[in-house]
Amino acid sequence: MPDDPAVLPAAPVTKVAGVTTGGAYELPVYPFVAPAELRGKMGRHAVVVVGAGLAGLTAACDLAQHGVPVVVLDEDDTVGVRGASSRGICYAQKSLEIFKRLGVFERIASRGVSWSVGRTLAGSDEIFTFDLKSLPNFGASEQPPFINLQQFYVEWYLVDRAYELGTVDLRWRNRLAGCAQQRDGLMLEVETPAGRYEIETQWLIDCSGSRSPLRSILNVPVHTEHVVDRWCISDVRFKTRPPAERWTWIQAPFNDDRAVWQHLMADDVWRLDYQMAHDANPEEFSQPAIVADRLRRQFGADVDYELVWVGPYSYRGQCLETFRVGRVFFAGDAAHVMSPFGARGGNSGIQDADNLVWKLALVLEGKAPEHLLDSYDAERRAAAQQNIRITTRTARFLSPQAPMDRLFRDAVVSLAREYPFARAFVNTGRLSSPTHYQGSPLNVGEGGGRSLQNIALTLPDGKRGDLVDLVEYAGYRVLGLVTQPVDRYFAEELDLLEEKYPVRFFRLQADVGVTSAFRTVVDPDERLAAELGCDGPSTSLVRPDLHLAGTLDAAGAPDIERALRKLLALT
Ligand SMILES: Cc1cc2nc3c(=O)[nH]c(=O)nc-3n(C[C@H](O)[C@H](O)[C@H](O)COP(=O)(O)OP(=O)(O)OC[C@H]3O[C@@H](n4cnc5c(N)ncnc54)[C@H](O)[C@@H]3O)c2cc1C
């Protein structure tokens, strides 16, 4: 296993053309090991994941933690994109909570940059400022609103974790080339440096990114939106540090009145993103001399910096018409692609995996029917569509094409300088936040679908923990959080439900002093009770992905059982 990532001293970039530069980071290279199938051993696997990017590695680690062995195929042998800079930089609270459960949060937090303040400028006027920590939808979690970290570090930590878990069979330089659906499984064709082989699996999660081969193999219709907007990344290390805040300019005088992003990542590297004119030549725009000129205009003539990486990019919007074809699930960029505004791409892929894995694990355990898996498409395709809608609106604001869009944008910018009401329309990216599955077929009551924050609690063993710890404590079962009294008779009924269904019940109470014969979780400030919407005696069912399935007022055991059966797609 490689050591902790080390960054080479940034070499001055001499050759800049498209995405062919880079090399300022030393990334690990994982060995190709000839798989058992090449030695004639055929087995049937429970799950194969194609693609060891953010989505695939999250799914693999999560499956392993649920006790499901998994094979991961990746055509490459490293993390990140070879020769290019980091793509993603911002990881949102919901993803950080998932990473805590997967055991990589501490590494991410200690290398990354935690931030919550964002400023939006037009010229030299600051027209909008926020501090995410003060917002109720970010403030209750044990994880910060955002951490910035180069994407390859996150992938690297997940690879380390996958090796550590021991049941993830990571197969580097294994390229998926074919997939045939069988009656109760799939036969995959894989190319390796040592030849081709076939592998049989019950389920497949396609996390192979925006060029997924499975989309065409399985003929999945894709809705695509092409965009003309183009940007240039300049990753830079400064001798004097700007503040660790997210700054965005809608109109930056130092970029000919076009948009600019400024964000700190790990290792003191700043991500500066410059919007280009539509007729700009991307290669010319990315020349070190031109970059240097822009940096001098932005930071002053004596700016002292090292260029870590520079290169142009463009984006598009894409969404598959279904995220499930028989035994194949699409997740991450394989399922949906969106503009980077608001950091929704990678974060939503991580959340796709989080949504799918607990369901798949229950199906493989025989605790829920295959029908439960249909909710993955219902919930995550709706999330993707919402994310694409939101990011497309930002793109229209930042790069207005239609005269009406331009008029609107210019009016907002000019009004926002003076009037607070107009600041709500300033849109340089609505930051990634979890999707609430309001229309989900698995919802069973009040508040159904709401994503819960990782709130601090005292666990039944008296240890300080949080909601993520409670999910682990409960063995990834559904949580039944009871605020109504649990007498001996009711406790026996709950025990019976635990025997029949994958659920663990806990009495939720605010006061440490109150003793209860039943397993107790202390919610000292009643923050969790507030999130669950409990304003009286109730039972809340919480899914292992920390979405509330619903809160039932003063429900008896038969009502709770009915709700559980709906949540597990048993009815
Ligand atoms: C400039 C930019 C900035 C961004 N910023 C952010 C951000 O701040 N936050 C955020 O959340 N997202 C961000 N994104 C989006 C994010 O980078 C992507 O959404 C994310 O990389 C998608 O992850 P994935 O695992 O789905 O796919 P990928 O990361 O593309 O991984 C796919 C994997 O599949 C493998 N593969 C492909 N084909 C095969 C095959 N046939 N067989 C085997 N393996 C195969 C590849 O080698 C690769 O490892 C940004 C994107 C860009 C371009």
Side-chain angles (χ1 to χ4, degrees):
M1 201 185 302
D3 293 336
D4 201 48
V7 181
L8 290 182
V13 178
T14 48
K15 178 171 165 277
V16 184
V19 290
T20 57
T21 55
Y25 291 93
E26 187 185 33
L27 296 176
V29 175
Y30 302 103
F32 165 73
V33 179
E37 284 83 354
L38 275 174
R39 298 191 300 273
K41 266 195 174 171
M42 262 317 266
R44 185 176 154 86
H45 298 273
V47 187
V48 169
V49 171
V50 185
L54 287 176
L57 290 166
T58 301
C61 290
D62 208 2
L63 281 161
Q65 289 204 172
H66 277 81
V68 178
V70 52
V71 175
V72 180
L73 307 174
D74 198 286
E75 63 181 3
D76 204 356
D77 58 4
T78 185
V79 287
V81 177
R82 192 179 290 282
S85 170
S86 168
R87 284 181 292 166
I89 56 169
C90 302
Y91 296 93
Q93 189 170 75
K94 181 81 184 172
S95 304
L96 298 172
E97 292 169 348
I98 295 166
F99 289 148
K100 160 157 188 191
R101 190 165 54 71
L102 298 183
V104 291
F105 170 70
E106 289 304 327
R107 282 184 87 184
I108 289 172
S110 67
R111 188 170 275 269
V113 177
S114 182
W115 65 274
S116 64
V117 175
R119 299 181 195 280
T120 301
L121 300 98
S124 54
D125 298 330
E126 189 173 318
I127 57 172
F128 183 62
T129 309
F130 59 77
D131 184 348
L132 296 171
K133 274 195 191 140
S134 64
L135 302 178
N137 52 339
F138 283 104
S141 176
E142 289 291 275
Q143 272 60 50
F146 274 90
I147 288 183
N148 280 8
L149 183 63
Q150 288 85 330
Q151 182 168 331
F152 47 77
Y153 279 132
V154 179
E155 294 177 13
W156 193 329
Y157 299 157
L158 285 166
V159 171
D160 284 356
R161 181 67 180 141
Y163 280 126
E164 193 179 276
L165 284 162
T167 50
V168 181
D169 180 357
L170 272 162
R171 299 186 181 186
W172 304 103
R173 299 181 71 193
N174 277 241
R175 194 178 78 83
L176 179 94
C179 170
Q181 304 244 25
Q182 300 177 327
R183 205 173 54 83
D184 60 352
L186 300 157
M187 186 62 82
L188 312 180
E189 205 178 320
V190 184
E191 284 171 358
T192 78
R196 275 180 172 244
Y197 69 92
E198 285 190 327
I199 176 170
E200 208 184 337
T201 182
Q202 284 182 65
W203 300 100
L204 184 146
I205 311 179
D206 179 22
C207 302
S208 62
S210 58
R211 276 177 250 158
S212 153
L214 280 150
R215 289 179 178 183
S216 49
I217 294 172
L218 299 173
N219 265 325
V220 189
V222 189
H223 175 74
T224 304
E225 239 173 71
H226 293 281
V227 191
V228 287
D229 197 20
R230 283 172 308 169
W231 292 70
C232 174
I233 291 174
S234 307
D235 286 350
V236 174
R237 236 189 237 119
F238 293 103
K239 292 284 183 292
T240 322
R241 301 178 84 204
E245 298 173 345
R246 171 193 193 255
W247 285 27
T248 57
W249 282 261
I250 301 168
Q251 294 162 331
F254 47 83
N255 190 34
D256 302 327
D257 271 346
R258 283 185 300 277
V260 173
W261 258 236
Q262 180 182 305
H263 247 213
L264 179 60
M265 303 187 281
D267 312 320
D268 271 341
V269 176
W270 285 83
R271 162 65 51 92
L272 300 166
D273 241 336
Y274 297 94
Q275 191 179 36
M276 293 185 218
H278 293 153
D279 56 358
N281 175 338
E283 306 223 335
E284 200 180 305
F285 197 89
S286 313
Q287 289 295 326
I290 309 274
V291 174
D293 183 47
R294 259 196 317 267
L295 289 172
R296 278 194 293 271
R297 289 170 69 194
Q298 182 171 356
F299 295 98
D302 55 353
V303 61
D304 198 353
Y305 69 93
E306 287 173 308
L307 203 49
V308 177
W309 195 88
V310 64
Y313 73 92
S314 59
Y315 57 86
R316 64 200 148 128
Q318 271 194 335
C319 193
L320 301 194
E321 281 188 12
T322 177
F323 285 8
R324 178 180 180 187
V325 177
R327 294 179 162 270
V328 178
F329 300 94
F330 292 89
D333 279 14
H336 47 73
V337 184
M338 58 201 75
S339 77
F341 310 124
R344 288 172 179 263
N347 282 300
S348 59
I350 292 160
Q351 290 157 37
D352 290 342
D354 183 49
N355 181 292
L356 178 58
V357 165
W358 68 271
K359 297 173 183 172
L360 199 49
L362 286 182
V363 170
L364 283 160
E365 244 188 290
K367 297 265 193 301
E370 289 185 8
H371 174 53
L372 174 66
L373 300 169
D374 290 338
S375 63
Y376 170 71
D377 174 68
E379 294 176 345
R380 291 312 299 170
R381 197 152 52 82
Q385 286 165 343
Q386 187 190 43
N387 282 325
I388 290 170
R389 257 194 317 275
I390 292 171
T391 51
T392 303
R393 248 182 256 140
T394 305
R396 277 171 60 187
F397 188 82
L398 289 172
S399 183
Q401 303 298 306
M404 276 309 286
D405 285 344
R406 178 158 290 280
L407 202 67
F408 173 75
R409 205 281 289 269
D410 291 348
V412 167
V413 171
S414 122
L415 287 168
R417 286 189 160 97
E418 263 186 81
Y419 302 106
F421 85 89
R423 291 173 196 156
F425 299 99
V426 172
N427 186 351
T428 58
R430 304 284 185 231
L431 286 163
S432 172
S433 58
T435 305
H436 305 292
Y437 304 136
Q438 263 130 4
S440 169
L442 307 185
N443 291 347
V444 297
E446 220 23 60
R450 183 184 304 150
S451 174
L452 302 172
Q453 294 179 66
N454 183 29
I455 290 168
L457 300 167
T458 305
L459 302 177
D461 57 11
K463 291 195 181 133
R464 196 191 173 280
D466 54 35
L467 198 50
V468 166
D469 294 321
L470 188 61
V471 170
E472 276 184 74
Y473 185 93
Y476 303 110
R477 299 311 194 228
V478 172
L479 300 177
L481 301 175
V482 186
T483 61
Q484 63 205 68
V486 184
D487 60 18
R488 216 182 73 202
Y489 178 67
F490 189 38
E492 277 170 15
E493 287 183 315
L494 296 181
D495 285 345
L496 280 177
L497 289 177
E498 286 190 356
E499 279 170 31
K500 273 173 85 177
Y501 304 101
V503 60
R504 289 276 275 164
F505 291 96
F506 301 90
R507 170 108 168 85
L508 188 68
Q509 63 184 43
D511 194 346
V512 189
V514 180
T515 49
S516 160
F518 202 69
R519 284 183 299 272
T520 299
V521 168
V522 179
D523 175 23
D525 306 320
E526 296 191 301
R527 279 185 152 178
L528 181 55
E531 285 237 331
L532 298 171
C534 314
D535 37 12
S538 61
T539 296
S540 303
L541 295 180
V542 176
R543 307 159 22 151
D545 58 2
L546 294 195
H547 283 263
L548 174 64
T551 293
L552 313 170
D553 285 339
D559 293 333
I560 298 173
E561 178 162 17
R562 251 191 308 280
L564 267 173
R565 292 186 65 80
K566 182 165 187 241
L567 165 54
L568 297 167
L570 288 162
T571 45

